[in-house]
Amino acid sequence: MLDYLFSFDPGLIGYLVFLLVSVAIYAIFSLGLNLQWGYTGLINFGHVAFMTVGAYATSLFTLSGMPIFLAVLIGGLLAALLGLLMGFSTLRLREDYLSIVTIGVSELVRLVALNESWLTKGAFGVQNFPLPLAEFRPTVATRIGMIAIVTPIFAVVIWKLVQRILSRKNTVQAIVSGVLILLTLRLYSVAAVALYNYRDNQARNGLLFLSLITLAIVYWALERLVKSPWGRVLKAIREDEQVAKALGKNVFSYKLQSLMLGGFIAGIAGAFFAWQLSTVYPTNFEPIVTFQAWIIMILGGAGNNAGTILGAGIYWAYTAFTRDLDGVLRLGADQVGALRIMLIGLILMVLMRFRPQGILGNKDELTLGK
């Protein structure tokens, strides 16, 4: 465990970069779900459908020669279009119908990707598509500039944690915030080393750079939106949509916008997911991916964008620290896998018992059970 915190071995740096990219991708993916559920109260159990559309659209369009940026944009728009179609068919019904339809749509999209080989290459998957910045050969000055660009992202995180320490008298919370500051500094050092040694793995390090920037932009944009009058209407709908209707708000339109925007964000996450895997198969988009996003959102706190990012970090830290349990407990691979699922379930049970709003969530805005 100490190696994770202090070592700069190239192999470990590569693994930590993978974890950092995974945190960024799942944070972006979960931020879309947080907009739909945490702020609007829409129960979406098929969020992975949007990621599937984004991943396949990006990989297939770039494979045909389309510029990567345009392919990502189209992938996000197609995911938003899927949200539009889902919304028109379900949003006027009760919440439980939406949850049933969304998980059904996610499986429908996956099965189409599996069986329509003329469109998606079927079970053979999409392979050998271009990766962003994979052929980029930055100079020393450019690499330093890339480090300078990501530095404010980590600086803002540290500043927010310092503010939490200064604004709270709770010793436990102050200690936790202090530990998070140290971990943020460690991750910053990993990102800086990886970007400076960019040529060690251009595709991996380019993905690190782009995923961090994209996460920062998505987070900033969502924070502006949810604190705007539009975001306040979403919260009103989440709490009691009849009151919002009485105030003259078109509840259906706002729900549709939330579902589409959350789908667009998940579609962007799908592009990064495809780039990280470098191959796209239908089995990459099982329903478990959606429930991983739910775990992340519940851990951090529904209705809190910063909490969603924290939840993604906790989830992947848990994944990293428990991957070697077979060497400690003398269990088989299947048994270790089952144990890891049991442990994350136990963590969620304890959290829901003592802090149902999540780590950074606001109990007054808790939608679960309403």
Side-chain angles (χ1 to χ4, degrees), residues 202-313:
Q202 292 95 237
R204 181 197 68 196
N205 296 329
L207 187 58
L208 169 67
F209 180 68
L210 291 177
S211 61
L212 289 176
I213 292 175
T214 303
L215 174 59
I217 292 173
V218 170
Y219 172 77
W220 173 82
L222 284 177
E223 283 291 284
R224 294 287 300 270
L225 280 173
V226 298
K227 293 178 180 177
S228 69
W230 182 81
R232 289 194 287 272
V233 173
L234 293 187
K235 289 184 179 181
I237 292 172
R238 177 195 65 194
E239 298 303 321
D240 192 334
E241 65 178 68
Q242 298 303 322
V243 173
K245 286 181 180 179
L247 294 174
K249 303 299 181 182
N250 188 334
V251 170
F252 175 77
S253 175
Y254 278 95
K255 284 184 176 181
L256 195 60
Q257 292 169 39
S258 175
L259 190 63
M260 291 177 65
L261 181 55
F264 177 83
I265 294 170
I268 299 299
F272 283 93
F273 192 59
W275 292 334
Q276 187 185 43
L277 296 174
S278 73
T279 55
V280 178
Y281 296 100
T283 52
N284 298 138
F285 305 99
E286 300 281 354
I288 186 63
V289 180
T290 294
F291 293 103
Q292 287 170 342
W294 275 93
I295 290 171
I296 287 169
M297 185 177 60
I298 291 171
L299 280 174
N304 188 302
N305 291 320
T308 300
I309 297 175
L310 176 61

Side-chain angles (χ1 to χ4, degrees), residues 22 34-35 91 105 149 172 185 188 194 228-229 359:
S22 298
N34 189 46
L35 177 66
L91 287 179
V105 168
I149 290 173
V172 175
L185 289 171
Y188 171 68
S228 69
I359 297 173

